[in-house]
Amino acid sequence: MASIRRTLSPAFHGRSTQNGAAVFSSSPSNKLLHKHFPSSTSSTLLNLVYRRGWRRSFRRCLFFFLIGLLFGITPFGQMDADIRPKDFSSPDLRPPHVHLQSDDPIVSYVALGVNTQLEQHNEVTDSIEPLKQLIVVTPTYNRGFQVYFLNRLGQVLRLVKPPLVWIVVEEKTVSLETARILRKTGVMYRHVVSTRNSSDVKDRGVHQRNAALEHIERHKLDGIVFFADDDNVYTPELFESLRTISRFGTWPVAMLEQNKNKAIVEGPVCNASRVIGWHTNEKSNRLRRFHVDMSGFAFNSTILWDPKRWGRPFSNPIRQLDTVKEGFQETTFIEQVVEDESQMEGLPPGCSKVMNWHLHLDIGNVVYPKGWLLEKNLEVTLPIK
C-alpha cells in the first residue's frame, strides 16, 4: 500500500517533540533564547511578545478616546457665568407692538370706519325691542266642524312669530280629542274649562271668554288679548300688526250676512291711525256705541289687572255681559276698556285693508260624531256626473 510522506515547511524543520510538547530549536532567535534563558522562561516571554499587539491597539484606542473627551468638554468661545435658574416657559408669540401716528391719514380713516360701525351696531342693538306677547282667546264646543276649525286656526297661529299663547276654552270639561288637536298644532297653548252653564245664553261664547279673562287676570299675563273665534278666517298679517297696539286697537272685518246674499264691512273709519267713524249697517246705526265685531279689536292685558297704569277710575273686573241682547256684547265690553275713540288705534294705517272674515257658517244640522269617528258609512251616495 502506497504511503504518502508530507514534508514539513521550513519554519517547522527544527521542531521536535518531547513528551508531547513542541519546542523550537532551529531558528536563530530560539537558539539565542535557549542560550540566555531556560526553556520555561523563554515560552513565557514568547507569550508576552505575542500579546503585545492587542495591548498596543488598546492603548491607541484609549489615547484617542481621551483626546476626544478632552475636546468635548473644553469650552470654545464665551461662556455664560450666570448659573441662576432660567425661565423655560413658552415664549410670547404675540406680534410686536406697532406705534402708529394718529396724524396718519390712513390710520385716521381706518379708525373712523371702525368707530362708525361700532356706533351703528350699538344703535341697532339698543333699538331692538322684544316682541309683545299675543294672547289669543278661542272659545270652542263640540260640533261637526270643530276639528276642521281648530286645525285651520292652529295652522295660522303656527306661522306667527313667538311669543304667542293660545287659550282654548271648552264647556264643562276638557275633551281628549281637543287636547290631542292642540298638541299636534305645535303652538304653545293653555286648555281652560268654563264651568258656567251656557245653554240659556244666546252667545254661548260669553262665559268661555270670561273664563279666559279670569285666567289672564289671575296669572297676570302680559300681552295683547285678541278674541279669535275658531270659525273665522284670519291672515298672519293681522297677528303681526297686533304687536303695534299700545292700549286698544281696532280694524275693519268683512262678514257675510245671515242670508248669505251680501257681504258687508264692519269696523272703524280711520285717518291714518286715528279712528274718526264707523262702518255699520242700517239696523244697528242708532243703537250701538261702537260698531265692531268680536274679532275686530284687541287690547293690552294689563288693563285687566293693573287699572292704575291706565288711569281707570274704578277697579271692577272687566267681563262680557250675558244679560244684553245679541250683537251688543262687543260694544258693552269695549265701553269698559276705553272711554271714546281718542283712546283707540286704527289698524292698519288708514284702516284700508281687511285682514279677517266672519262667515257665519250655519252648521246646526250637522251631527257631531262620537269620538271624532263615524261609526257607519253615510246612507246617501251621490253618483259622479
Side-chain angles (χ1 to χ4, degrees):
M1 185 173 180
S3 62
I4 302 174
R5 180 176 294 178
R6 185 176 181 181
T7 61
L8 296 175
S9 60
F12 295 90
H13 283 171
R15 177 179 297 181
S16 61
T17 58
Q18 281 185 344
N19 299 327
V23 297
F24 295 93
S25 61
S26 60
S27 79
S29 60
N30 291 341
K31 292 180 179 180
L32 183 61
L33 291 174
H34 279 288
K35 182 177 180 180
H36 293 86
F37 301 98
S39 173
S40 60
T41 304
S42 63
S43 66
T44 302
L45 292 175
L46 288 175
N47 292 335
L48 291 174
V49 171
Y50 290 133
R51 292 178 181 178
R52 186 179 300 174
W54 69 268
R55 289 184 178 180
R56 184 183 297 110
S57 300
F58 175 74
R59 286 195 297 268
R60 290 177 179 176
C61 292
L62 181 61
F63 173 75
F64 287 112
F65 173 76
L66 294 176
I67 294 297
L69 181 62
L70 182 62
F71 277 100
I73 64 176
T74 302
F76 295 93
Q78 185 179 1
M79 182 177 64
D80 189 5
D82 188 6
I83 59 175
R84 291 177 298 179
K86 304 294 184 180
D87 185 12
F88 294 98
S89 59
S90 58
D92 190 3
L93 302 179
R94 292 178 298 179
H97 180 69
V98 179
H99 298 280
L100 298 177
Q101 300 295 332
S102 59
D103 55 351
D104 191 349
I106 298 179
V107 176
S108 302
Y109 177 76
V110 174
L112 179 61
V114 173
N115 294 334
T116 303
Q117 291 185 359
L118 290 176
E119 291 176 358
Q120 293 177 354
H121 176 73
N122 294 334
E123 291 178 358
V124 172
T125 305
D126 296 338
S127 62
I128 295 177
E129 297 181 358
L131 296 177
K132 292 182 180 180
Q133 178 175 239
L134 299 182
I135 306 173
V136 182
V137 177
T138 300
T140 186
Y141 58 95
N142 297 340
R143 60 195 190 280
F145 287 150
Q146 183 184 15
V147 180
Y148 166 71
F149 289 151
L150 289 177
N151 276 300
R152 182 180 63 181
L153 180 55
Q155 294 303 318
V156 175
L157 296 179
R158 193 173 182 177
L159 302 176
V160 182
K161 296 179 181 180
L164 182 147
V165 58
W166 188 16
I167 301 179
V168 179
V169 188
E170 285 194 287
E171 294 178 323
K172 298 180 181 179
T173 183
V174 173
S175 64
L176 298 178
E177 293 82 5
T178 303
R180 187 181 300 112
I181 293 174
L182 298 179
R183 287 194 299 268
K184 290 181 179 180
T185 58
V187 180
M188 185 174 65
Y189 70 92
R190 296 190 180 187
H191 205 168
V192 182
V193 176
S194 174
T195 57
R196 297 282 301 274
N197 185 14
S198 302
S199 59
D200 56 344
V201 181
K202 185 66 175 179
D203 185 1
R204 59 193 309 168
V206 171
H207 293 322
Q208 293 172 275
R209 297 187 191 97
N210 287 337
L213 294 176
E214 293 175 2
H215 181 85
I216 296 171
E217 184 176 353
R218 184 185 312 114
H219 297 279
K220 294 184 178 181
L221 300 181
D222 189 5
I224 304 300
V225 181
F226 172 49
F227 297 121
D229 294 343
D230 57 0
D231 58 345
N232 292 353
V233 180
Y234 309 92
T235 62
E237 183 182 0
L238 170 63
F239 295 94
E240 297 298 339
S241 62
L242 296 181
R243 291 192 166 100
T244 63
I245 297 175
S246 175
R247 175 170 181 165
F248 184 93
T250 181
W251 54 90
V253 178
M255 59 182 59
L256 195 63
E257 287 188 343
Q258 297 290 345
N259 55 14
K260 309 295 190 301
N261 294 329
K262 184 180 180 182
I264 59 176
V265 175
E266 189 173 58
V269 178
C270 303
N271 181 10
S273 61
R274 186 169 61 91
V275 178
I276 59 175
W278 300 95
H279 295 286
T280 184
N281 53 62
E282 297 179 357
K283 295 181 180 180
S284 61
N285 188 19
R286 299 180 180 179
L287 300 178
R288 299 170 61 183
R289 172 66 180 86
F290 302 110
H291 304 273
V292 62
D293 187 72
M294 185 64 70
S295 61
F297 66 91
F299 60 95
N300 197 311
S301 64
T302 57
I303 298 178
L304 301 175
W305 49 267
D306 191 7
K308 295 182 180 180
R309 175 180 176 182
W310 304 100
R312 289 176 54 202
F314 51 89
S315 59
N316 296 332
I318 300 176
R319 299 292 185 267
Q320 292 189 5
L321 304 179
D322 57 356
T323 57
V324 298
K325 297 181 180 180
E326 181 183 4
F328 285 83
Q329 285 84 8
E330 296 89 348
T331 183
T332 55
F333 178 80
I334 296 175
E335 290 173 4
Q336 304 175 61
V337 179
V338 296
E339 297 178 359
D340 51 25
E341 286 82 357
S342 63
Q343 298 178 345
M344 296 183 179
E345 308 166 34
L347 301 177
C351 300
S352 57
K353 183 182 297 185
V354 174
M355 295 181 289
N356 65 315
W357 294 263
H358 191 179
L359 302 180
H360 294 288
L361 296 177
D362 185 12
I363 53 175
N365 297 329
V366 179
V367 179
Y368 174 74
K370 183 179 180 180
W372 304 94
L373 298 175
L374 293 175
E375 297 179 356
K376 59 182 179 179
N377 295 330
L378 299 178
E379 297 179 357
V380 178
T381 303
L382 297 178
I384 299 176
K385 294 181 180 180

